[in-house]
């Protein structure tokens, strides 16, 4: 199980003896007591155990800035100049040993946890239920938290771009079920791992770049919400790589990179095009994934 998932398992899932997650070896097996008779888990979702991230990873960006990994949206001026995720985008031709990039792999300290499956299923997740959702989580309408939650639901309700399928998973089990339904057998789930938290620094690509998948994958991006929600999308035009990096300060990382070979349906003003100075559909566009995002690789 990738660290990105392990870190946000709800304590009740970790303590539950029937809970097991085994990713790899040609399949994914999960038992969270979903089918257990009388297995209704009680979680205080409005208390201190569930938090809301009050800023996009790294901070410095506006709460209304679009998710840089949602390709329907144009970048705002704020994002272009201030969003640390800008540096994560690069061209596939530049991914080779010896290449250098200035990167900041931020650790999101607000680790909103996955709720148990049965609990998540009972909580509404739609724009027309926002007053009920805010009330359940004691979130004041109009607050920063409320705006973030509203934006997450809005992005989840938007249609997928042409050539992709999307789904917002509100529990670990629903994320795994979706990935298996789209990929068939899953070989493994992977995420970016960095030795330690460091400031922005120059990284050099080391030898040993590993191609994880050559065409299709399910990529899941962690969202800002009161509990763990992942925006997942499946594409047939995606290559995933595990890239070994060595920082100028000695920090080592294994960074997950996703390359999109067909960007013709993306918003022409998306952050990637403005940063890389390329046009939609002309050249594969790649990006490293933040530490709390996950890629599901088919067998």
């Amino acid at each position: 199980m990738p660290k990105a998932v392990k870190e946000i398992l709800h304590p009740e899932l970790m303590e539950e003896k029937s809970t097991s997650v085994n990713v790899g070896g040609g399949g994914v097996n999960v038992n969270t007591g979903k089918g257990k008779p009388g297995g209704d888990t009680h979680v205080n979702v409005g208390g201190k155990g569930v938090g809301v991230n009050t800023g996009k990873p790294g901070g410095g960006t506006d709460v209304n800035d679009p998710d840089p990994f949602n390709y329907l949206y144009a970048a705002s001026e704020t994002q272009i100049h201030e969003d640390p995720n800008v540096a994560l985008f690069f061209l596939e031709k530049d991914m080779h040993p010896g290449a250098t990039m200035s990167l900041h792999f931020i650790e999101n300290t607000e680790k909103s946890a996955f709720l148990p499956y049965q609990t998540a299923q009972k909580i509404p997740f739609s724009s027309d239920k926002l007053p009920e959702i805010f009330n359940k989580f004691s979130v004041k309408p109009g607050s920063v938290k409320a705006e973030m939650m509203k934006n997450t639901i809005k992005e989840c309700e938007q249609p997928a771009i042409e050539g992709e399928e999307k789904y917002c998973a509100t529990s670990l089990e629903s994320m795994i079920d979706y990935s298996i339904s789209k990929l068939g057998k899953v070989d493994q789930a992977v995420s970016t791992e960095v030795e330690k938290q460091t400031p922005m620094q120059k990284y050099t690509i080391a030898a040993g770049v590993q191609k994880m998948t050559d065409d299709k994958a399910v990529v899941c991006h962690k969202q800002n919400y009161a509990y763990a929600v992942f925006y997942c999308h499946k594409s047939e035009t995606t290559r995933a790589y595990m890239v070994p990096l060595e920082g100028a300060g000695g920090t080592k990382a294994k960074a997950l990179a996703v390359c999109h070979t067909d960007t013709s349906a993306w918003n022409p003003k998306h952050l990637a095009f403005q940063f890389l100075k390329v046009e939609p559909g002309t050249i594969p566009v790649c990006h490293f994934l933040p530490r709390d995002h996950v890629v599901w690789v088919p067998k």
Side-chain angles (χ1 to χ4, degrees), residues 96-103 201-207 243-248 251 253:
H96 57 80
T100 60
M101 303 178 187
S102 292
L103 301 167
Q201 65 176 289
K202 184 174 288 186
Y203 282 91
T204 301
I205 298 179
V243 183
L245 298 172
E246 295 180 0
T251 301

mmCIF file of all heavy atoms in Angstrom, residues 96-103 201-207 243-248 251 253:
data_model
loop_
_atom_site.group_PDB
_atom_site.id
_atom_site.type_symbol
_atom_site.label_atom_id
_atom_site.label_comp_id
_atom_site.label_asym_id
_atom_site.label_seq_id
_atom_site.Cartn_x
_atom_site.Cartn_y
_atom_site.Cartn_z
ATOM 1 N N HIS A 96 15.131 12.578 -18.594
ATOM 2 C CA HIS A 96 16.254 11.688 -18.847
ATOM 3 C C HIS A 96 17.311 11.915 -17.771
ATOM 4 O O HIS A 96 17.375 12.998 -17.164
ATOM 5 C CB HIS A 96 16.843 11.947 -20.238
ATOM 6 C CG HIS A 96 17.279 13.366 -20.461
ATOM 7 N ND1 HIS A 96 18.476 13.875 -20.002
ATOM 8 C CD2 HIS A 96 16.649 14.409 -21.081
ATOM 9 C CE1 HIS A 96 18.586 15.138 -20.327
ATOM 10 N NE2 HIS A 96 17.485 15.501 -20.983
ATOM 11 N N PRO A 97 18.141 10.908 -17.480
ATOM 12 C CA PRO A 97 19.183 11.060 -16.454
ATOM 13 C C PRO A 97 20.066 12.265 -16.736
ATOM 14 O O PRO A 97 20.481 12.509 -17.866
ATOM 15 C CB PRO A 97 19.970 9.749 -16.570
ATOM 16 C CG PRO A 97 18.979 8.766 -17.103
ATOM 17 C CD PRO A 97 18.126 9.551 -18.059
ATOM 18 N N GLY A 98 20.309 13.035 -15.691
ATOM 19 C CA GLY A 98 21.130 14.227 -15.811
ATOM 20 C C GLY A 98 20.328 15.504 -15.949
ATOM 21 O O GLY A 98 20.860 16.604 -15.711
ATOM 22 N N ALA A 99 19.048 15.397 -16.323
ATOM 23 C CA ALA A 99 18.201 16.582 -16.439
ATOM 24 C C ALA A 99 17.938 17.142 -15.046
ATOM 25 O O ALA A 99 17.823 16.399 -14.069
ATOM 26 C CB ALA A 99 16.888 16.237 -17.129
ATOM 27 N N THR A 100 17.839 18.463 -14.952
ATOM 28 C CA THR A 100 17.592 19.102 -13.659
ATOM 29 C C THR A 100 16.288 19.888 -13.683
ATOM 30 O O THR A 100 15.903 20.453 -14.712
ATOM 31 C CB THR A 100 18.745 20.052 -13.280
ATOM 32 O OG1 THR A 100 18.876 21.066 -14.286
ATOM 33 C CG2 THR A 100 20.049 19.288 -13.152
ATOM 34 N N MET A 101 15.611 19.906 -12.551
ATOM 35 C CA MET A 101 14.356 20.644 -12.393
ATOM 36 C C MET A 101 14.285 21.189 -10.977
ATOM 37 O O MET A 101 14.726 20.523 -10.032
ATOM 38 C CB MET A 101 13.151 19.731 -12.628
ATOM 39 C CG MET A 101 13.111 19.045 -13.973
ATOM 40 S SD MET A 101 11.683 17.943 -14.112
ATOM 41 C CE MET A 101 12.036 17.155 -15.691
ATOM 42 N N SER A 102 13.739 22.386 -10.826
ATOM 43 C CA SER A 102 13.516 22.949 -9.491
ATOM 44 C C SER A 102 12.131 22.526 -9.024
ATOM 45 O O SER A 102 11.127 22.864 -9.650
ATOM 46 C CB SER A 102 13.629 24.475 -9.527
ATOM 47 O OG SER A 102 14.958 24.856 -9.795
ATOM 48 N N LEU A 103 12.087 21.774 -7.934
ATOM 49 C CA LEU A 103 10.834 21.181 -7.475
ATOM 50 C C LEU A 103 10.654 21.364 -5.977
ATOM 51 O O LEU A 103 11.624 21.500 -5.227
ATOM 52 C CB LEU A 103 10.809 19.677 -7.801
ATOM 53 C CG LEU A 103 10.949 19.281 -9.271
ATOM 54 C CD1 LEU A 103 11.231 17.791 -9.385
ATOM 55 C CD2 LEU A 103 9.692 19.652 -10.043
ATOM 56 N N GLN A 201 14.038 23.115 -4.278
ATOM 57 C CA GLN A 201 15.451 22.932 -4.581
ATOM 58 C C GLN A 201 15.613 22.292 -5.943
ATOM 59 O O GLN A 201 14.654 21.784 -6.536
ATOM 60 C CB GLN A 201 16.138 22.078 -3.509
ATOM 61 C CG GLN A 201 15.640 20.651 -3.416
ATOM 62 C CD GLN A 201 16.450 19.850 -2.397
ATOM 63 O OE1 GLN A 201 17.611 19.518 -2.628
ATOM 64 N NE2 GLN A 201 15.834 19.569 -1.252
ATOM 65 N N LYS A 202 16.833 22.302 -6.436
ATOM 66 C CA LYS A 202 17.110 21.702 -7.736
ATOM 67 C C LYS A 202 17.312 20.200 -7.571
ATOM 68 O O LYS A 202 18.093 19.747 -6.725
ATOM 69 C CB LYS A 202 18.371 22.329 -8.354
ATOM 70 C CG LYS A 202 18.682 21.818 -9.767
ATOM 71 C CD LYS A 202 19.844 22.570 -10.394
ATOM 72 C CE LYS A 202 19.428 23.976 -10.774
ATOM 73 N NZ LYS A 202 20.501 24.687 -11.522
ATOM 74 N N TYR A 203 16.562 19.437 -8.362
ATOM 75 C CA TYR A 203 16.696 17.984 -8.368
ATOM 76 C C TYR A 203 17.283 17.539 -9.701
ATOM 77 O O TYR A 203 16.982 18.113 -10.758
ATOM 78 C CB TYR A 203 15.340 17.303 -8.182
ATOM 79 C CG TYR A 203 14.817 17.278 -6.767
ATOM 80 C CD1 TYR A 203 14.008 18.300 -6.288
ATOM 81 C CD2 TYR A 203 15.119 16.218 -5.910
ATOM 82 C CE1 TYR A 203 13.518 18.275 -4.986
ATOM 83 C CE2 TYR A 203 14.627 16.182 -4.611
ATOM 84 C CZ TYR A 203 13.822 17.211 -4.158
ATOM 85 O OH TYR A 203 13.335 17.175 -2.872
ATOM 86 N N THR A 204 18.102 16.497 -9.658
ATOM 87 C CA THR A 204 18.656 15.894 -10.864
ATOM 88 C C THR A 204 18.057 14.503 -11.042
ATOM 89 O O THR A 204 17.986 13.723 -10.085
ATOM 90 C CB THR A 204 20.186 15.785 -10.767
ATOM 91 O OG1 THR A 204 20.739 17.097 -10.580
ATOM 92 C CG2 THR A 204 20.773 15.173 -12.035
ATOM 93 N N ILE A 205 17.616 14.196 -12.256
ATOM 94 C CA ILE A 205 17.086 12.861 -12.535
ATOM 95 C C ILE A 205 18.245 11.877 -12.562
ATOM 96 O O ILE A 205 19.224 12.059 -13.301
ATOM 97 C CB ILE A 205 16.328 12.830 -13.871
ATOM 98 C CG1 ILE A 205 15.119 13.771 -13.814
ATOM 99 C CG2 ILE A 205 15.889 11.406 -14.212
ATOM 100 C CD1 ILE A 205 14.309 13.825 -15.110
ATOM 101 N N ALA A 206 18.161 10.852 -11.732
ATOM 102 C CA ALA A 206 19.206 9.831 -11.652
ATOM 103 C C ALA A 206 18.900 8.692 -12.629
ATOM 104 O O ALA A 206 17.826 8.652 -13.245
ATOM 105 C CB ALA A 206 19.305 9.298 -10.223
ATOM 106 N N ALA A 207 19.826 7.775 -12.766
ATOM 107 C CA ALA A 207 19.606 6.619 -13.629
ATOM 108 C C ALA A 207 18.539 5.719 -13.017
ATOM 109 O O ALA A 207 18.368 5.673 -11.800
ATOM 110 C CB ALA A 207 20.918 5.852 -13.797
ATOM 111 N N VAL A 243 10.366 8.043 -11.228
ATOM 112 C CA VAL A 243 11.592 8.771 -11.578
ATOM 113 C C VAL A 243 12.452 8.990 -10.337
ATOM 114 O O VAL A 243 12.038 9.682 -9.401
ATOM 115 C CB VAL A 243 11.239 10.137 -12.206
ATOM 116 C CG1 VAL A 243 12.511 10.869 -12.633
ATOM 117 C CG2 VAL A 243 10.300 9.966 -13.393
ATOM 118 N N PRO A 244 13.663 8.416 -10.300
ATOM 119 C CA PRO A 244 14.554 8.664 -9.157
ATOM 120 C C PRO A 244 15.171 10.053 -9.250
ATOM 121 O O PRO A 244 15.678 10.448 -10.302
ATOM 122 C CB PRO A 244 15.619 7.568 -9.294
ATOM 123 C CG PRO A 244 15.628 7.225 -10.754
ATOM 124 C CD PRO A 244 14.236 7.477 -11.275
ATOM 125 N N LEU A 245 15.100 10.792 -8.158
ATOM 126 C CA LEU A 245 15.624 12.162 -8.128
ATOM 127 C C LEU A 245 16.619 12.315 -6.995
ATOM 128 O O LEU A 245 16.470 11.705 -5.933
ATOM 129 C CB LEU A 245 14.478 13.162 -7.929
ATOM 130 C CG LEU A 245 13.391 13.234 -8.998
ATOM 131 C CD1 LEU A 245 12.250 14.124 -8.517
ATOM 132 C CD2 LEU A 245 13.957 13.762 -10.308
ATOM 133 N N GLU A 246 17.619 13.161 -7.215
ATOM 134 C CA GLU A 246 18.587 13.498 -6.173
ATOM 135 C C GLU A 246 18.624 15.011 -6.026
ATOM 136 O O GLU A 246 18.932 15.734 -6.983
ATOM 137 C CB GLU A 246 19.970 12.945 -6.537
ATOM 138 C CG GLU A 246 20.004 11.421 -6.568
ATOM 139 C CD GLU A 246 21.369 10.859 -6.922
ATOM 140 O OE1 GLU A 246 22.302 11.670 -7.151
ATOM 141 O OE2 GLU A 246 21.508 9.619 -6.982
ATOM 142 N N GLY A 247 18.287 15.501 -4.827
ATOM 143 C CA GLY A 247 18.244 16.932 -4.587
ATOM 144 C C GLY A 247 19.625 17.520 -4.362
ATOM 145 O O GLY A 247 20.561 16.820 -3.962
ATOM 146 N N ALA A 248 19.730 18.829 -4.597
ATOM 147 C CA ALA A 248 21.004 19.526 -4.405
ATOM 148 C C ALA A 248 21.485 19.414 -2.967
ATOM 149 O O ALA A 248 22.684 19.408 -2.699
ATOM 150 C CB ALA A 248 20.851 20.995 -4.801
ATOM 151 N N THR A 251 18.821 15.241 -0.603
ATOM 152 C CA THR A 251 17.560 14.527 -0.441
ATOM 153 C C THR A 251 17.258 13.668 -1.667
ATOM 154 O O THR A 251 17.392 14.127 -2.804
ATOM 155 C CB THR A 251 16.392 15.516 -0.238
ATOM 156 O OG1 THR A 251 16.660 16.298 0.919
ATOM 157 C CG2 THR A 251 15.082 14.782 -0.063
ATOM 158 N N ALA A 253 14.463 11.186 -3.773
ATOM 159 C CA ALA A 253 13.026 11.015 -3.948
ATOM 160 C C ALA A 253 12.767 10.018 -5.057
ATOM 161 O O ALA A 253 13.585 9.841 -5.970
ATOM 162 C CB ALA A 253 12.368 12.360 -4.281
#
